[in-house]
């Protein structure tokens, strides 16, 4: 690994797996995290950021089907990482930090998607130089050590990454992208589906590894930026970190081969939009810090 702080023995470079976590010998510790994260609920409150309504196309794919597919992929990739000794143990310091941050953010997730209250949230860490992190449908989160070490992320910046990725799952961007892709390939319209002329459930159940390679639209990215910004601020993380995070991402583009930036392009427009929205959630951050 790039940093001496990484102590997962022995973590092979670019372990080949894109996420992790499910069952196994360490399930009890992971179960404790899931239960602790889901144990605190908050009342719905008005959103401070402005985002559009979710795409109606997502209704072509049953949410349960996509979440089940995500669980299977997550489990398979965990097994791959574990076989290569690239899965961080439950007592790894960086993993403990990630799970602590997740516990702070998760209570605010259901405000954006009522299904999130029932998700079995999991957070895991993969040993790899890749700069990457993601949250699959159903709350399956994974970080690579590369994004923590190479970008030298602060806790606030980690929270912005996590909030952003959680927002993709909460706003069901993968569900919408899969629906649009599959519907286009078979010529099925939303109207036809509503009239009972087709069902993409089977297609969603046979996605293979597509959930790990989906590229979201620019509007999806903006949506996730803003929702993630608010989630992290409500959890007590400095919203200014979203700006410093994407500046670091922009500087990292010169390194080449960055998986995260292939699906989350950086640029001045993104940073400018975040700067404009930071004041909207600053009060939420201050309230959280005063609790």
């Amino acid at each position: 690994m790039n940093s001496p702080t990484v102590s997962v023995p022995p973590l092979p470079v670019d372990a080949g797996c894109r996420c992790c976590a499910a069952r196994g010998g360490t399930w009890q510790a992971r179960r404790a995290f899931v239960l602790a994260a889901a144990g605190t609920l908050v009342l719905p409150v008005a959103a401070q950021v402005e985002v559009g309504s979710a795409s109606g196309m997502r209704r072509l794919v049953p949410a349960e089907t996509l979440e089940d597919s995500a669980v299977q992929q997550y489990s398979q990739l965990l097994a791959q990482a574990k076989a290569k000794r690239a899965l961080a143990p439950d007592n790894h310091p960086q993993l403990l930090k990630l799970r602590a941050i997740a516990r702070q953010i998760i209570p605010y997730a259901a405000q954006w998607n009522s299904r999130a209250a029932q998700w079995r949230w999991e957070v895991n860490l993969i040993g790899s130089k890749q700069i990457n992190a993601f949250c699959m449908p159903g709350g399956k989160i994974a970080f690579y050590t590369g994004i923590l070490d190479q970008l030298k992320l602060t806790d606030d910046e980690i929270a912005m990454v996590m909030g952003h990725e959680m927002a993709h799952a909460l706003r069901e961007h993968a569900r919408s992208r899969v629906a649009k892709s599959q519907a286009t390939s078979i010529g099925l319209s939303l109207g036809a589906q509503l009239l009972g002329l087709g069902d993409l459930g089977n297609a969603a159940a046979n996605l293979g590894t597509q959930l790990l390679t989906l590229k979201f639209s620019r509007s999806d990215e903006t949506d996730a930026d803003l929702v993630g910004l608010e989630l992290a601020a409500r959890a007590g993380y400095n919203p200014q970190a979203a700006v410093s995070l994407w500046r670091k991402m922009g500087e990292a583009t010169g390194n080449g081969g960055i998986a995260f930036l292939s699906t989350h392009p950086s640029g001045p427009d993104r940073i400018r939009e975040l700067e404009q929205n930071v004041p909207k959630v600053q009060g939420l951050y201050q309230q959280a810090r005063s609790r």
Side-chain angles (χ1 to χ4, degrees):
M1 291 306 92
N2 269 14
S3 166
T5 63
V6 178
S7 57
V8 184
L11 290 173
V13 172
D14 298 328
C17 126
R18 292 187 58 91
C19 52
C20 49
R23 297 163 182 82
T26 57
W27 168 241
Q28 289 302 323
R30 294 194 178 102
R31 182 174 182 273
F33 163 78
V34 170
L35 295 178
T40 305
L41 297 178
V42 295
L43 295 175
V45 293
Q48 301 301 302
V49 296
E50 298 178 7
V51 293
S53 58
S55 170
M57 287 291 289
R58 75 189 193 287
R59 286 179 287 168
L60 295 176
V61 175
E64 298 88 347
T65 303
L66 197 63
E67 290 165 12
D68 288 346
S69 181
V71 168
Q72 293 174 14
Q73 291 182 39
Y74 198 63
S75 301
Q76 292 168 1
L77 293 166
L78 170 63
Q80 293 173 15
K82 190 173 183 179
K84 296 181 179 181
R85 303 180 68 186
L87 180 65
D90 288 307
N91 63 353
H92 190 285
Q94 289 179 317
L95 179 55
L96 292 174
K97 176 183 292 187
L98 291 172
R99 288 179 174 173
I101 291 171
R103 278 193 293 270
Q104 296 300 311
I105 300 176
I106 288 171
Y108 302 95
Q111 296 172 195
W112 294 96
N113 186 330
S114 59
R115 293 185 60 81
Q118 307 303 321
W119 287 353
R120 299 185 65 83
W121 293 89
E122 295 186 44
V123 179
N124 282 275
L125 176 66
I126 295 292
S128 170
K129 286 186 177 180
Q130 289 188 41
I131 295 177
N132 206 6
F134 53 86
C135 177
M136 298 174 74
K140 306 304 184 185
I141 301 170
F143 273 66
Y144 288 145
T145 53
I147 196 170
L148 303 177
D149 298 337
Q150 295 187 51
L151 298 188
K152 296 179 171 57
L153 298 184
T154 65
D155 287 7
D156 291 309
E157 289 167 343
I158 292 172
M160 295 303 149
V161 174
M162 191 174 293
H164 175 97
E165 295 306 318
M166 288 169 62
H168 276 307
L170 294 170
R171 298 286 286 170
E172 300 186 304
H173 292 155
R175 189 180 173 196
S176 296
R177 298 302 293 175
V178 169
K180 290 175 183 177
S181 175
Q182 297 291 341
T184 299
S185 68
I186 63 176
L188 180 66
S189 68
L190 177 60
Q193 169 66 18
L194 295 178
L195 290 173
L197 301 181
D199 189 345
L200 296 183
N202 291 334
N206 297 288
L207 287 173
T209 59
Q210 288 184 41
L211 287 176
L212 302 177
T213 57
L214 287 175
K215 292 187 178 182
F216 299 120
S217 68
R218 182 67 188 98
S219 62
D220 287 344
E221 288 300 317
T222 298
D223 194 272
D225 279 349
L226 300 186
V227 173
L229 180 70
E230 179 162 320
L231 284 169
R234 287 190 185 281
Y237 294 98
N238 191 340
Q240 292 287 349
V243 176
S244 61
L245 165 68
W246 286 103
R247 283 179 178 155
K248 286 183 177 181
M249 287 290 184
E251 294 169 358
T253 56
N255 297 335
I258 298 177
F260 193 84
L261 293 177
S262 69
T263 53
H264 301 74
S266 180
D269 290 343
R270 185 170 212 154
I271 292 174
R272 191 177 305 113
E273 192 156 19
L274 283 166
E275 288 176 327
Q276 292 171 352
N277 279 274
V278 164
K280 296 181 181 179
V281 300
Q282 191 69 31
L284 299 175
Y285 164 64
Q286 293 170 347
Q287 290 172 17
R289 297 296 293 174
S290 65
R291 288 198 293 265

